[in-house]
Amino acid sequence: MKISRGTFSTDQVTRNKMRISAAELMRAYQNSVKEPLRSGLELGLPVNMQHNMHRLIGWSKPLGLYIDGSMVRSLGEILEPTIESEKVKLNATANAYWEYRNHEATAPFAEELLTRIADASAEGAKFLQVEAAVMHRAGIAAEQYPELFDSGQGLVDKDGLVDYRELVCRMRRVQPGVFHDTKRNLLLFAHRFFRKSLSHRNKFNDYFLQSFEEAAARHPDLRVRLKLDPDVLGHPGSTRNFIEMEYWRGHRFNDDIASIPSGVAEHKADERQRHFHGIDRTQVWWKVPESRGDKEALSTVRTFEVEELVDNESDGLEGTAYGCRYAHAEFSSSEDAITHFDGAIRAYPAEAYFNRIDTSIDKAGKHSIYSKLFRFDGTLPISDWKRLLTDYFQGNALIPEYLGAARESEELVLDESTEDESLSATTEMKVAVLVRLDCGAIGSSLSLIPELTQRCGSRLIPFVEVGTGATEEFLRKQIDLSNLTAVGFEDGVLNLSRLCFGNNDQLSARFRDVVGGLSDALEKDIQAGLVQRATIPLAWRIQDLVVTLSVAGNGRAVVDILRQIVNIVDPTKQPHEWVEAVSDWVRKVARGERSSVSWQGIQRGVLEIGRSGVVDMRIRMPDELQNQLIESGDLSLSSSADVPASKD
């Protein structure tokens, strides 16, 4: 299994001008950790290439929220299978996840949906979660709303496109591609071919549907038509907005269409585009200009066709078939505008597609199943056409590339797990905080958890790290360490072992007293020169969650944060209720400071300052263990109480 770690999201404004607050990041994190308790599913989420639910590549697991002076990061790891047995297990895990999520989302609305469409046959129907809970059966929406689907009804043209302006007069637009019939209290949807892989399992292409609506609103003289989905009807009360964290930059080319030469141009995708977007090539055809109209109103018209040829089968089509996005437009030189524009899907059975992919668009002929999806007639400004065209081909950088856009350099995303970015003793970062959530139990009293081991001869001895000065003295007064091996390293670094607060009625008061006393003790060690840098992980249980809050960095900054934590963190409240306050204080202490994530320790749920080389340490172990080690020859005592040790 290949494991990669990285930042999944942050509380910063994205290129799409969207921001998710630290509280909402934490709320989502809490829900993801609690979900397996309710469902029995594995912790985490399926990972799909380019948000395409038919392109499963791995499984993601959350690792915590990381807070520094500049932002809050949601950290996680992605597990990608490398052998067949791992792939089989991944598919089973993902299928179980989607079955559960689909049932949970649709079950509360299924009975009402059946009631509202009681005159329709439910035989063969199933319930799906798309932008809302829907009842899915071939032709169910067309049966209920024949005036919006049947050609010859007045609102629908020969290609099955409905008059968009009549549609929004009769129904309320809820979100791009979703329409609410307030009389019958049902939802209708744009066609599923506006989704990746032409499948209901994927989200709409919101970029295009939003641009479609905006163009229709800006130009009321245009005749605008759209294809609706005949196979689904939804429940308005279940409507949700899904977010795909993908930025599509759109067009940046000029408006000089007249200067583009006639003929066919083919742009081949590079390996990265093929890997991520599943696009093999794009063919564009500008036909030779032709004259239209009479002598008094003669106009030169240029016809444009473009087709995207793909690598992968389209799972939303029956059998083995390839669905390719296609667009057609006409440019009038006299009006210096697009006068007609439509888009469609050309679906090819496998054998026909293998012939098509190596044929130029001007010689390919019509050997596909053609489904028109939208149409504009009238004067459409070139700038709006460019927006619509590039948004329709979302993810296909070959479209703006052909039309002269300046190619943006791809952002380099480093796999942070390949870098040695541990928070070392010489790192200048002032302070960072990690909030980790796990399911589990905690005892009723204050305790230190021995999570690391120290080699002693041939044996690995579990130990707790407590320091060598006032911090150790304070902890020994609070906790019985007689049965634990306690270690203090003498290198100016304190990686305190996880300090767990007992789950009892005195949690809040105990938390304030212990953290306050620990802060005072740590400050004494800093003043004495025993500690320069420190990590302090504090853990407690609330309902089904074990919360670990780690503070790491410069010793004085850590003390400052700890003293504020007793005022802003209430261990009896859910983490999303106090994480914003923690973030605000960290930014105050380390204003604007941005650094790479310190990954050391995060796998086990804490922050840790790295050590290297040989350092001196002081060790106290139970008498029984010491005698066993002496008898086995794994330990010999000298006159010095200090034991040199290597720490990797």
Side-chain angles (χ1 to χ4, degrees):
M1 189 75 73
K2 176 186 175 183
I3 301 177
S4 305
R5 296 178 301 181
T7 299
F8 285 1
S9 56
T10 76
D11 67 343
Q12 301 297 286
V13 178
T14 69
R15 296 177 73 182
N16 278 337
K17 299 180 180 179
M18 178 173 58
R19 178 181 179 270
I20 303 175
S21 69
E24 288 306 314
L25 290 175
M26 180 60 78
R27 195 191 301 270
Y29 181 26
Q30 291 168 201
N31 291 338
S32 72
V33 176
K34 291 178 181 179
E35 188 74 18
L37 296 175
R38 295 190 294 266
S39 65
L41 298 172
E42 187 169 335
L43 172 66
L45 298 169
V47 179
N48 300 281
M49 183 66 74
Q50 290 302 111
H51 308 288
N52 188 333
M53 300 306 168
H54 293 282
R55 299 182 67 192
L56 178 68
I57 60 171
W59 191 263
S60 68
K61 293 185 177 181
L63 293 176
L65 260 61
Y66 185 90
I67 305 168
D68 65 12
S70 64
M71 69 179 75
V72 178
R73 297 175 174 98
S74 179
L75 304 182
E77 64 181 11
I78 296 176
L79 292 78
E80 298 179 67
T82 55
I83 59 176
E84 189 59 33
S85 61
E86 292 172 344
K87 294 177 182 178
V88 171
K89 182 178 184 297
L90 171 64
N91 281 314
T93 302
N95 288 336
Y97 172 85
W98 287 118
E99 286 182 15
Y100 170 80
R101 295 293 297 177
N102 192 68
H103 179 266
E104 286 293 295
T106 60
F109 306 98
E111 187 175 343
E112 282 191 13
L113 261 178
L114 285 170
T115 301
R116 293 176 189 179
I117 50 179
D119 57 332
S121 171
E123 184 178 353
K126 57 184 177 180
F127 293 94
L128 303 175
Q129 173 68 21
V130 289
E131 285 72 20
V134 301
M135 183 175 175
H136 174 276
R137 177 178 61 75
I140 189 169
E143 293 169 7
Q144 296 292 303
Y145 294 89
E147 72 278 12
L148 300 179
F149 291 91
D150 293 349
S151 301
Q153 292 277 351
L155 299 181
V156 185
D157 68 11
K158 62 181 178 62
D159 295 307
L161 306 186
V162 67
D163 187 302
Y164 180 73
R165 300 196 190 282
E166 285 293 330
L167 175 67
V168 294
C169 281
R170 296 180 177 212
M171 299 188 181
R172 184 174 68 88
R173 180 266 195 197
V174 177
Q175 55 179 271
V178 183
F179 308 96
H180 181 196
D181 175 6
T182 55
K183 292 182 179 179
R184 297 184 60 183
N185 208 16
L186 290 170
L187 294 178
L188 283 90
F189 299 81
H191 201 276
R192 77 175 190 276
F193 286 1
F194 287 108
R195 305 175 187 271
K196 292 183 178 73
S197 289
L198 315 182
S199 168
H200 285 120
R201 289 185 65 178
N202 289 316
K203 185 179 183 296
F204 274 137
N205 176 354
D206 281 350
Y207 282 101
F208 173 75
L209 291 171
Q210 184 68 41
S211 295
F212 178 92
E213 295 174 356
E214 291 172 355
R218 275 196 303 272
H219 307 290
D221 294 335
L222 281 173
R223 186 180 181 193
V224 186
R225 284 169 273 187
L226 181 72
K227 191 162 196 171
L228 297 178
D229 195 323
D231 302 330
V232 292
L233 288 172
H235 192 297
S238 66
T239 306
R240 298 175 63 186
N241 284 294
F242 293 100
I243 299 172
E244 289 183 354
M245 302 301 287
E246 176 184 355
Y247 176 70
W248 176 238
R249 63 183 179 273
H251 66 280
R252 289 189 180 178
F253 42 86
N254 64 48
D255 294 347
D256 188 11
I257 289 178
S259 67
I260 299 174
S262 300
V264 174
E266 178 175 277
H267 282 231
K268 183 75 173 169
D270 60 28
E271 286 304 310
R272 187 181 190 280
Q273 291 169 328
R274 292 188 67 178
H275 178 65
F276 283 98
H277 298 284
I279 297 167
D280 178 77
R281 67 192 72 179
T282 300
Q283 295 178 344
V284 181
W285 180 18
W286 283 100
K287 298 182 180 179
V288 175
E290 59 181 296
S291 297
R292 295 184 186 176
D294 53 34
K295 293 182 180 180
E296 296 181 357
L298 195 64
S299 176
T300 300
V301 175
R302 303 196 69 191
T303 300
F304 167 89
E305 292 186 36
V306 57
E307 185 171 9
E308 168 189 272
L309 302 176
V310 298
D311 266 342
N312 305 313
E313 297 172 15
S314 299
D315 297 272
L317 299 176
E318 293 184 3
T320 302
Y322 296 79
C324 300
R325 290 181 289 193
Y326 166 88
H328 164 262
E330 293 180 353
F331 167 75
S332 170
S333 58
S334 61
E335 297 187 52
D336 193 28
I338 300 296
T339 54
H340 168 84
F341 176 44
D342 65 70
I345 294 295
R346 285 178 166 178
Y348 299 87
E351 185 175 347
Y353 186 65
F354 298 146
N355 293 327
R356 167 67 186 93
I357 199 167
D358 290 322
T359 305
S360 175
I361 187 173
D362 59 335
K363 296 180 175 62
K366 298 181 179 180
H367 301 289
S368 65
I369 301 169
Y370 183 84
S371 301
K372 190 170 289 187
L373 298 180
F374 67 89
R375 178 170 176 168
F376 290 87
D377 290 288
T379 302
L380 179 66
I382 294 170
S383 59
D384 287 307
W385 175 68
K386 292 186 302 185
R387 177 83 266 172
L388 289 160
L389 180 67
T390 52
D391 283 349
Y392 178 58
F393 287 91
Q394 177 195 2
N396 185 344
L398 302 175
I399 298 293
E401 175 185 299
Y402 167 75
L403 290 164
R407 187 166 184 176
E408 292 185 357
S409 60
E410 298 286 355
E411 293 184 12
L412 178 63
V413 180
L414 291 176
D415 175 4
E416 295 183 78
S417 65
T418 66
E419 300 291 332
D420 182 11
E421 293 181 343
S422 61
L423 188 61
S424 70
T426 58
T427 302
E428 294 300 323
M429 189 186 74
K430 196 168 187 179
V431 70
V433 171
L434 177 73
V435 183
R436 172 66 173 259
L437 306 178
D438 295 283
C439 295
I442 283 182
S444 59
S445 60
L446 190 69
S447 62
L448 286 168
I449 307 300
E451 298 174 289
L452 298 178
T453 59
Q454 175 66 45
R455 180 168 294 281
C456 190
S458 61
R459 294 182 61 173
L460 290 175
I461 309 300
F463 71 89
V464 293
E465 184 172 345
V466 295
T468 59
T471 303
E472 178 191 16
E473 182 181 350
F474 172 78
L475 291 170
R476 288 190 177 278
K477 290 179 179 178
Q478 302 293 323
I479 304 169
D480 180 7
L481 299 179
S482 60
N483 293 319
L484 294 172
T485 298
V487 169
F489 292 91
E490 298 185 328
D491 59 353
V493 173
L494 170 63
N495 284 316
L496 187 70
S497 293
R498 196 181 319 232
L499 181 60
C500 295
F501 290 83
N503 190 29
N504 56 57
D505 294 339
Q506 305 301 316
L507 175 59
S508 293
R510 185 71 166 138
F511 183 81
R512 286 193 299 270
D513 291 344
V514 171
V515 176
L518 181 61
S519 303
D520 293 340
L522 180 59
E523 185 172 39
K524 291 178 182 178
D525 287 340
I526 293 168
Q527 291 173 347
L530 298 177
V531 174
Q532 285 84 48
R533 298 181 64 72
T535 61
I536 309 294
L538 311 171
W540 63 92
R541 191 169 189 265
I542 175 170
Q543 296 179 0
D544 298 324
L545 295 177
V546 174
V547 181
T548 301
L549 188 154
S550 298
V551 185
N554 175 280
R556 296 190 182 280
V558 170
V559 169
D560 190 2
I561 296 291
L562 289 175
R563 285 183 171 153
Q564 288 302 316
I565 278 176
V566 298
N567 298 318
I568 60 181
V569 173
D570 184 341
T572 65
K573 292 185 177 180
Q574 295 289 340
H576 72 266
E577 298 181 64
W578 46 257
V579 69
E580 292 280 5
V582 172
S583 173
D584 290 343
W585 193 259
V586 172
R587 291 182 186 184
K588 182 177 180 180
V589 172
R591 190 177 305 277
E593 184 180 76
R594 182 173 182 173
S595 62
S596 298
V597 173
S598 167
W599 287 100
Q600 187 154 328
I602 287 179
Q603 193 66 35
R604 60 186 179 89
V606 299
L607 292 177
E608 182 180 341
I609 297 173
R611 291 188 172 97
S612 61
V614 177
V615 298
D616 290 336
M617 71 176 185
R618 296 181 181 180
I619 182 168
R620 296 186 186 183
M621 62 179 62
D623 292 341
E624 183 180 353
L625 174 61
Q626 180 175 299
N627 292 334
Q628 290 175 2
L629 293 173
I630 292 172
E631 290 175 5
S632 66
D634 288 321
L635 177 66
S636 60
L637 299 181
S638 64
S639 57
S640 172
D642 295 338
V643 179
S646 171
K647 182 75 171 91
D648 295 325

